[in-house]
Amino acid sequence: MCGILGVSGLDGASRIAQLGLYALQHRGQESAGIVAVDPAGQARVHRGMGLVSDVFSESRLAQLTGDVAVGHARYSTAGSTVLANAQPYLVNYHEGPLSVAHNGNLTNATALREELVRAGAIFQSSSDTEVLIHLIARSSAPTVESQIRDALEQVEGACTVVISAGRTLYAAVDSRGFRPLVWGRIGQGVVIASETCALDLVGATDLAELAPGDFVRIEDGLVTQLAPLAPRPRSRCIFELVYFARPDSRIFDRSVDGARRELGRALARHHAAPGADVVFSVPDSANVMALGYSEVSGVKLEHALIRNHYVGRTFIHPTQSLRVAKVKIKFNPVREIIAGRSVVVIDDSLVRGTTSKGLVQMIRGAGAREVHLRLGSPPITGPCHYGIDTPTSDELIAANHSTEAIREYLGVDTLEYLTLDEMVDAAGPRTGWCHACFSGAYPTEIPTDLARHRHDAPPMAASA
Ligand code: AMP
């Protein structure tokens, strides 16, 4: 998964991009990069592995001069943690310097790549984003704008992008609208980003959101709406609201905090644990869900799991045993809250079950009398092909086990999930969501070998 960002018409654009990327760090911790374009049209890039704070020293930033910038923070699927896949990509094509920051996964990238290779294209990596660049560069359309449009119309899947071509920025959200993109103004300039929390940090105002299919041009801080991309049924990623986005953001025209709180309220309404003494969350993504649960059920809210915030995900390719150890590094229970009590533990989702199993052992070890686990989403039964880093089906515990078998494995007294309908109701409108990882209803065609490609591909393979 990734966070992307663009700046136009603001001196010191790379510094603004760096600040914005700090606020998008939760969307990707493996690598970060910024391209800056100066008034003469010269583009410079710096990309590195690790957190935004590790990648950009003062001297690096000082070299990234200009009033236009594109930024990216990346988290990839396994096997692709290499600098070659760090974004934004910067290339020189026939119209000048072109940089691309992409959030999402394309579902027809393999087919498009094969066609391009047959036509003579040479690839540096196996990332989806490079496919997009080749499509732009090889388009026979007459203008930069129409070349980009041509490429965007050919790709399937999740494609939210910020692109610089010369000194002009282009931004687009694919017509299904899987991933968010918002923008705001700073004086005469414009900042565009994956989430509003990045716009807040840089002091942008007059915030607005790109709708699915929106395609805009930004020149010297002036935003021009271009003709939208060909319409498709909407499929906003509901997991952005459940887990991924920050609660202080507004995306998909709603508050993430509000949606997540509503998920917690729905848990209390439909899946209460009678006789419980306290409720607490697995921090941080489920914090507001626990608030919602407490508000509706009247069960006292506590902070019983303390999270160590200094444990990064950078460079870790977790094996199963490492993951169990990681639970202890990451969380510790407060015994005084838990001992002798019947507790409700709220988490947003269950993926492999390893974190939860470790946590339950910890909570039992702290003396809990009863443990009732509640999940603010339904069982995850399939991988995401649109950019969320979920494992393949064989690693997803709910893909292969009944709820009762999972309850037993985790060692909890009761285990309940929100149903698909309950989750969708809590999120807002009834339609327009992608919930394929829960329902199996993938909104695009999925080539049969796609999941295998993503996870078994050589070290250069990438998702954005
Ligand atoms: P587990 O118990 O191993 O299934 O892990 C569940 C935890 O993983 C929950 O606390 C979720 O917040 C978190 N989670 C959900 N999706 C992801 C993801 N794509 N990447 C990392 N963590 C996730």
Side-chain angles (χ1 to χ4, degrees):
M1 205 32 175
C2 302
I4 61 174
L5 182 142
V7 179
S8 169
L10 292 165
D11 287 336
S14 63
R15 287 173 196 279
I16 296 168
Q18 181 212 21
L19 279 179
L21 287 179
Y22 273 115
L24 300 178
Q25 189 76 83
H26 61 290
R27 298 183 70 87
Q29 301 97 37
E30 280 189 359
S31 66
I34 294 175
V35 165
V37 189
D38 71 16
Q42 181 167 0
R44 298 176 180 85
V45 62
H46 178 65
R47 302 177 298 150
M49 303 305 291
L51 301 175
V52 175
S53 53
D54 300 327
V55 172
F56 298 103
S57 62
E58 186 47 44
S59 59
R60 288 287 188 191
L61 275 178
Q63 288 163 9
L64 297 174
T65 52
D67 58 346
V68 173
V70 175
H72 193 271
R74 174 166 191 269
Y75 182 76
S76 68
T77 50
S80 50
T81 312
V82 291
L83 187 58
N85 290 321
Q87 294 193 29
Y89 286 123
L90 173 63
V91 297
N92 275 309
Y93 88 128
H94 43 82
E95 309 294 328
L98 176 86
S99 83
V100 179
H102 171 210
N103 179 199
N105 280 149
L106 308 179
T107 46
N108 63 344
T110 309
L112 287 171
R113 167 187 298 266
E114 281 167 8
E115 256 172 61
L116 285 162
V117 168
R118 265 198 303 276
I122 294 169
F123 279 83
Q124 309 264 341
S125 77
S126 48
S127 103
D128 295 0
T129 312
E130 206 184 341
V131 171
L132 195 66
I133 289 171
H134 277 283
L135 291 175
I136 297 170
R138 285 172 174 255
S139 167
S140 53
T143 60
V144 173
E145 200 169 295
S146 52
Q147 290 154 13
I148 295 172
R149 177 184 299 279
D150 196 12
L152 292 175
E153 295 288 17
Q154 290 180 64
V155 298
E156 267 289 358
C159 191
T160 290
V161 282
V162 175
I163 295 172
S164 72
R167 293 181 35 75
T168 306
L169 282 188
Y170 293 91
V173 176
D174 62 81
S175 296
R176 292 193 167 85
F178 291 98
R179 306 279 157 232
L181 199 60
V182 292
W183 65 277
R185 294 190 181 284
I186 304 178
Q188 300 303 305
V190 166
V191 180
I192 190 157
S194 296
E195 294 184 33
T196 57
C197 61
L199 302 182
D200 293 340
L201 173 55
V202 299
T205 56
D206 304 325
L207 309 192
E209 181 162 11
L210 268 75
D214 272 0
F215 181 29
V216 299
R217 180 179 62 225
I218 309 169
E219 237 163 353
D220 297 324
L222 188 73
V223 181
T224 309
Q225 193 88 30
L226 305 171
L229 303 173
R232 303 231 163 95
R234 284 190 180 198
S235 45
R236 302 294 222 175
C237 169
I238 205 161
F239 206 63
E240 289 270 356
L241 297 178
V242 169
Y243 167 77
F244 214 78
R246 259 173 49 167
D248 52 332
S249 285
R250 277 189 73 83
I251 58 163
F252 303 158
D253 206 20
R254 77 210 55 235
S255 143
V256 177
D257 174 285
R260 224 167 266 176
R261 211 173 275 245
E262 201 48 43
L263 292 165
R265 291 187 190 116
L267 275 174
R269 277 188 207 111
H270 306 292
H271 304 278
D277 302 309
V278 292
V279 54
F280 55 85
S281 63
V282 177
D284 289 316
S285 42
N287 286 352
V288 278
M289 282 184 195
L291 265 172
Y293 184 98
S294 172
E295 186 192 304
V296 167
S297 64
V299 176
K300 189 176 181 210
L301 177 73
E302 290 282 8
H303 293 292
L305 290 173
I306 303 306
R307 178 172 166 188
N308 182 336
H309 286 270
Y310 306 97
V311 189
R313 288 163 68 177
T314 323
F315 303 127
I316 295 175
H317 276 284
T319 60
Q320 194 76 354
S321 59
L322 261 180
R323 266 188 217 107
V324 175
K326 250 186 93 184
V327 176
K328 279 193 168 171
I329 300 172
K330 208 164 166 183
F331 298 103
N332 198 36
V334 182
R335 289 188 154 268
E336 289 69 17
I337 298 173
I338 293 173
R341 300 235 162 87
S342 169
V343 304
V344 180
V345 184
I346 309 275
D347 205 350
D348 57 88
S349 57
L350 197 59
V351 184
R352 293 181 175 86
T354 42
T355 310
S356 310
K357 188 174 172 68
L359 280 171
V360 171
Q361 281 168 0
M362 220 176 245
I363 293 163
R364 292 253 183 235
R369 183 162 48 81
E370 287 175 12
V371 182
H372 304 279
L373 181 61
R374 296 293 180 267
L375 282 318
S377 59
I380 299 180
T381 50
C384 175
H385 296 297
Y386 310 109
I388 299 270
D389 170 43
T390 37
T392 49
S393 295
D394 34 322
E395 286 180 79
L396 287 168
I397 192 165
N400 310 300
H401 298 87
S402 67
T403 300
E404 175 52 22
I406 299 171
R407 186 199 65 74
E408 216 167 286
Y409 167 76
L410 297 178
V412 291
D413 294 278
T414 66
L415 166 66
E416 292 189 31
Y417 297 84
L418 283 186
T419 65
L420 191 63
D421 279 350
E422 288 161 359
M423 176 181 68
V424 169
D425 276 345
R430 294 286 312 150
T431 56
W433 298 108
C434 174
H435 38 60
C437 55
F438 304 113
S439 62
Y442 290 93
T444 65
E445 195 188 320
I446 304 295
T448 44
D449 57 350
L450 189 63
R452 193 175 50 73
H453 265 287
R454 288 238 182 278
H455 290 268
D456 297 347
M460 283 176 108
S463 70

